[in-house]
Amino acid sequence: MIRRSLNFVIRGLILQNRIVKLLKKDFYIEFRSRASINISLAFAGITTLSVSLTSATMNLPFRVHSILIWVIIFFSAMNSLSHIFIREEEEGTSIFLSIHSEAEEIYIAKLLFNFILFIVITVVVTPLYLFFMQIWPENFIFFASSVFCGSTALSSITTTLGAIVAKTSMRSSLFTVISFPLTIPVLWISINLTASSLEGGSVDLLNLLFLLAFSGVIVSFSYLLFKFIWMEQ
Amino acid sequence: MFLYRLVYVLMPIGIFLSLLWVPPANILGDASRILYFHVPVAWVSFLAFLVAGLHSIALLIKKSEILYREAMAYNSAAIGMVFTVLTVITGSIWAKVSWGHFWNWDPRETSIVILMLIYIAYFSLFSALKSNPNRWGISSVYLIISMIIAPFLIFIVPRVYPSLHPDTIINQDKKIHLEASMRITLFFLVVTFTLLYGYIYKITNKLSLIIIKLRSSHDI
């Protein structure tokens, strides 16, 4: 019994160590070229400025503000979320990665990378938008949690779809086509939650939990199914 | 196969029941008869999606008869796509009669369009994976992930957000608010359309099997 639990702990530590190594590798490569992060942040900044330049003087309803925030976040992130897998395919390192690491390790490392990237984009876009549009959420904690839960759900689904797209012949154009229908429920609920938080509505715990549950379900299934996408069967 | 051939007898009876036997609804009049086609085709569009997803799970677990199982999932999705388009068309006609516009962005209308987009995305992905030997695995994963998300769209979102759609079939009272003759006709057509789906599905699967065998004999 003790031996079994010890084995389990050791295996867990090895897995964690390998995931951290893969994550470090992705961060080193990404920050060496800074291609995807630069494009995403530039896209986010330019779109936010363009929107505020044309509509800052208008008295837009909170729902429209919420839609604009999520459209900017979604399309800024779209530029780079699939890049983490596409880069491995384009540089020919995906086979080496498959030999070197287990599918589950690759999935968790890429998921964490995308999650961090998504949060960085959100942290850049949201304050910029609030500053330029001269609005302030009535219920800030609710606003922050709605943006956080929405980002978590979006990064969990787009990570799996990014891996799928990396294996096809028409990568970037296909990513938008296959991810849009599956991200709609998340966007739908996130927009409603953000609008409600901007208006000063009470905390909608049910919908926040829905987003977290959605992320949990998608991550669990993706963890189980990732080997069928990434490894040659 | 005999069971599915019953559709030749049941479909004319169903058309007779829905267009002539059942009395028109109180406010909508004869336009309400579209219900007897709209609900069954909507049901089949979801059923086909479910079957495609279940075949994908079976394919990933068994990893045998790959080409045939992959074709079975694809065929079900293709039939589902046709029925989803029919659902959108019949729904739009009904919406025009009831609410004055063909399209109202009602949560249920939106969810069926998203289901259609998922089908379109699946076919796009399938064709983009043509040269990939692992196509069966990747397309199966996409169908399984879509199958997990579909209930959120079809069953949860329309119930969370206010909808113009009548809740006659599944509602908070868990009762069917239809007259007996209407209920009989509706369920009769749901069964008939399910058999029609099964019949088309069997034929397309047989066709796929013939194509697979022909291709393999060519390879030999």
Side-chain angles (χ1 to χ4, degrees):
Chain A
M1 182 74 181
I2 296 167
R3 203 174 158 186
R4 254 191 198 173
S5 17
L6 213 71
N7 265 346
F8 185 75
V9 172
I10 290 166
R11 279 182 65 188
L13 285 172
I14 292 168
L15 185 75
Q16 194 189 352
N17 193 25
R18 282 168 157 240
I19 291 167
V20 171
K21 275 182 183 164
L22 282 173
L23 197 59
K24 264 186 185 172
K25 181 213 74 163
D26 282 334
F27 271 105
Y28 282 139
I29 295 172
E30 201 51 56
F31 282 93
R32 197 183 299 148
S33 67
R34 285 189 289 275
S36 78
I37 192 91
N38 275 353
I39 291 168
S40 289
L41 293 179
F43 185 91
I46 288 165
T47 327
T48 314
L49 282 173
S50 313
V51 168
S52 54
L53 196 72
T54 49
S55 57
T57 49
M58 292 177 203
N59 194 15
L60 296 174
F62 285 122
R63 181 157 291 272
V64 176
H65 281 301
S66 168
I67 291 168
L68 287 174
I69 289 175
W70 278 104
V71 165
I72 297 169
I73 292 175
F74 182 69
F75 285 102
S76 309
M78 275 300 190
N79 279 324
S80 52
L81 286 172
S82 59
H83 178 77
I84 189 81
F85 291 106
I86 292 173
R87 194 197 62 221
E88 302 280 4
E89 287 293 324
E90 283 174 351
E91 290 175 1
T93 50
S94 65
I95 296 172
F96 173 72
L97 196 65
S98 310
I99 297 165
H100 179 264
S101 312
E102 297 285 325
E104 290 80 8
E105 296 164 7
I106 302 169
Y107 172 68
I108 294 174
K110 303 284 186 198
L111 174 72
L112 288 174
F113 181 88
N114 272 351
F115 176 69
I116 295 166
L117 186 73
F118 213 109
I119 293 296
V120 168
I121 290 167
T122 311
V123 165
V124 170
V125 168
T126 320
L128 262 182
Y129 187 88
L130 296 178
F131 175 76
F132 282 116
M133 297 303 280
Q134 298 287 307
I135 52 164
W136 185 252
E138 292 283 326
N139 189 342
F140 184 76
I141 295 171
F142 181 26
F143 175 78
S145 15
S146 73
V147 171
F148 176 80
C149 293
S151 304
T152 312
L154 281 175
S155 56
S156 61
I157 180 75
T158 44
T159 301
T160 316
L161 297 177
I164 289 177
V165 158
K167 297 286 179 186
T168 63
S169 49
M170 300 141 76
R171 286 159 186 160
S172 49
S173 50
L174 194 69
F175 186 55
T176 322
V177 173
I178 71 162
S179 60
F180 185 68
L182 299 185
T183 49
I184 285 272
V186 175
L187 278 174
W188 200 342
I189 287 165
S190 303
I191 287 168
N192 279 315
L193 281 173
T194 310
S196 169
S197 67
L198 286 170
E199 284 163 355
S202 55
V203 178
D204 188 350
L205 210 60
L206 194 75
N207 275 330
L208 287 174
L209 279 176
F210 170 88
L211 290 176
L212 291 177
F214 182 92
S215 317
V217 169
I218 294 299
V219 169
S220 326
F221 274 90
S222 303
Y223 181 82
L224 293 171
L225 297 171
F226 190 75
K227 61 174 177 261
F228 295 104
I229 304 171
W230 201 249
M231 306 293 190
E232 292 286 328
Q233 299 294 316
Chain B
M1 202 67 177
F2 170 76
L3 183 72
Y4 295 123
R5 280 184 186 152
L6 272 177
V7 82
Y8 288 117
V9 181
L10 297 182
M11 192 58 89
I13 296 172
I15 291 168
F16 168 78
L17 290 177
S18 58
L19 298 182
L20 299 168
W21 182 64
V22 163
N26 279 342
I27 301 163
L28 291 170
D30 280 327
S32 65
R33 294 181 195 278
I34 205 159
L35 163 87
Y36 307 111
F37 299 96
H38 176 65
V39 175
V41 289
W43 152 250
V44 171
S45 63
F46 185 67
L47 176 74
F49 191 64
L50 192 75
V51 171
L54 293 175
H55 271 301
S56 302
I57 294 173
L59 176 59
L60 294 186
I61 293 171
K62 293 186 176 169
K63 290 181 191 171
S64 60
E65 296 177 282
I66 288 169
L67 286 175
Y68 184 51
R69 283 181 197 276
E70 183 191 47
M72 280 168 93
Y74 184 89
N75 290 341
S76 189
I79 300 165
M81 175 74 194
V82 174
F83 277 89
T84 312
V85 172
L86 287 174
T87 309
V88 172
I89 292 169
T90 51
S92 300
I93 296 167
W94 200 9
K96 176 71 180 167
V97 175
S98 313
W99 308 323
H101 296 282
F102 283 111
W103 201 256
N104 301 276
W105 289 112
D106 176 78
R108 273 176 213 267
E109 282 183 330
T110 313
S111 59
I112 199 75
V113 163
I114 295 169
L115 185 69
M116 193 166 77
L117 288 177
I118 293 175
Y119 277 130
I120 293 169
Y122 168 70
F123 297 126
S124 311
L125 177 68
F126 200 85
S127 49
L129 287 166
K130 209 168 187 178
S131 53
N132 192 319
N134 198 25
R135 181 181 69 182
W136 61 275
I138 299 170
S139 57
S140 298
V141 170
Y142 186 76
L143 270 180
I144 295 167
I145 301 263
S146 309
M147 194 178 70
I148 298 159
I149 294 173
F152 284 105
L153 273 171
I154 295 165
F155 298 113
I156 298 172
V157 174
R159 278 166 188 77
V160 172
Y161 295 100
S163 171
L164 294 164
H165 231 86
D167 276 340
T168 46
I169 309 301
I170 303 165
N171 48 48
Q172 288 184 337
D173 316 342
K174 296 186 175 83
K175 282 177 188 166
I176 297 165
H177 298 171
L178 283 175
E179 278 179 28
S181 59
M182 291 176 169
R183 205 183 310 170
I184 292 166
T185 308
L186 181 63
F187 280 102
F188 187 87
L189 274 159
V190 166
V191 173
T192 309
F193 271 93
T194 309
L195 288 175
L196 177 68
Y197 158 73
Y199 188 45
I200 301 170
Y201 188 47
K202 279 264 174 195
I203 292 171
T204 49
N205 285 346
K206 275 191 176 178
L207 206 66
S208 299
L209 194 64
I210 293 167
I211 293 168
I212 291 164
K213 281 185 177 168
L214 274 175
R215 276 188 190 154
S216 60
S217 63
H218 264 282
D219 289 344
I220 292 163

